[in-house]
Amino acid sequence: MSEHDLNWKFVDESVVESEPIIRARTQSIELGIEPVSPATGAQLGVLARASRASSIIEVGTGVGVSGLWLLSGSRDAQLTSIDTESEYQQQARSNFHDAGIASARVRLIAGRAGDVLPRMNESSYDIVFIDADPQSAIEYVEHGLRLAKPDGIVLVAHALWRGRVADPARREPVAADFRSLFSELAASHAVVTAISPVGDGLLQIVKRGI
C-alpha cells in the first residue's frame, strides 16, 4: 500500500460517525450510491461550523449522508437539497428525522440540478455543496458562485476524480474539465480556492466579499 493510501485510510478510519450517519452510509452503499467518505463528511461538518452557516444548498441528496454531516456542523442551519431520485430523498427524509433534525430545517427538491439551480435566489447561501454529475461540474460551480453569499463557500466532491485529474496523461472529459476549472479558479481574483485530498478530492472555493 502506498504512503498516500495509508494516509487516506488512517484519516478515514479516524473519523467517528454518529449512528444516524452510519445507518445512512450503509443504506447508501446497499442502494449503489457512493456517499462522501467519512473524512470528507467530517470536513463538511468543520466547514459548516467554522462558517457559522445558516443556509446550505446541496446538489445530490442521496439518502442524506452529506446532509447529515453538514447539519451536524451547523445545528441551526436550513438545508435545501436537490436530487433527481425522489425515492432516495424519501429515505433521506427518514434519516434526517431519525437523527432528530426538525422537518422545517430540510427542504428536498426532486429534479435536475440544471433546471432547479437557475430558479434559486442568488447570494442566498453560506454553503453550496456539489456532489452530482461530474460531467456538469463546471456548470454547477458557476451556479454555485451565483448562489453563494459574499464570503460564502462552494464545495465540490470528487474533484480529483479517481486520481485521474492529477495524471496529465488522462485526457477524458471529466478529468480535463476539472483541470480546466482549477486553472480558471486559480487565475480569478473573485475567489480563494484550495483542494483537499480527502476522499476523492474536495474542491473548496470562497467567494470574495465586496
Side-chain angles (χ1 to χ4, degrees):
M1 184 177 288
S2 70
E3 180 180 332
H4 173 272
D5 289 337
L6 283 171
N7 287 339
W8 182 88
K9 186 173 184 291
F10 174 79
V11 171
D12 240 16
E13 291 180 349
S14 71
V15 176
V16 178
E17 295 190 301
S18 67
E19 285 300 320
I21 293 176
I22 291 172
R23 288 195 296 271
R25 182 177 298 284
T26 300
Q27 292 167 356
S28 183
I29 293 169
E30 289 174 349
L31 289 167
I33 307 166
E34 183 178 0
V36 296
S37 73
T40 302
Q43 192 156 354
L44 295 178
V46 166
L47 290 168
R49 183 72 173 185
S51 65
R52 299 182 179 179
S54 62
S55 55
I56 301 170
I57 188 167
E58 171 186 53
V59 180
T61 310
V63 296
V65 175
S66 53
L68 287 167
W69 268 114
L70 287 161
L71 292 176
S72 73
S74 187
R75 298 187 179 277
D76 296 321
Q78 302 285 324
L79 173 69
T80 298
S81 189
I82 304 164
D83 203 300
T84 57
E85 300 291 344
S86 58
E87 291 184 7
Y88 295 162
Q89 286 188 324
Q90 291 308 309
Q91 186 61 63
R93 191 183 300 279
S94 176
N95 289 332
F96 291 137
H97 177 269
D98 291 347
I101 296 168
S103 59
R105 293 182 60 202
V106 179
R107 178 189 181 194
L108 301 179
I109 300 175
R112 291 181 61 255
D115 297 329
V116 176
L117 292 174
R119 303 200 301 265
M120 310 308 288
N121 293 332
E122 64 181 66
S123 300
S124 297
Y125 297 93
D126 298 299
I127 292 178
V128 180
F129 177 55
I130 300 165
D131 184 16
D133 189 13
Q135 293 83 0
S136 300
I138 293 176
E139 175 189 353
Y140 293 163
V141 167
E142 290 174 350
H143 283 300
L145 289 171
R146 181 182 65 83
L147 298 179
K149 296 177 181 178
D151 296 318
I153 307 170
V154 178
L155 303 169
V156 185
H158 303 293
L160 295 176
W161 194 241
R162 321 300 190 211
R164 298 171 187 171
V165 174
D167 183 355
R170 304 300 294 261
R171 300 185 180 279
E172 55 263 55
V174 171
D177 284 350
F178 270 118
R179 285 193 289 267
S180 175
L181 176 61
F182 297 163
S183 295
E184 290 180 15
L185 291 170
S188 173
H189 297 293
V191 297
V192 177
T193 63
I195 305 169
S196 169
V198 295
D200 195 24
L202 183 67
L203 173 61
Q204 302 163 74
I205 311 165
V206 176
K207 178 179 176 180
R208 289 185 185 270
I210 298 173

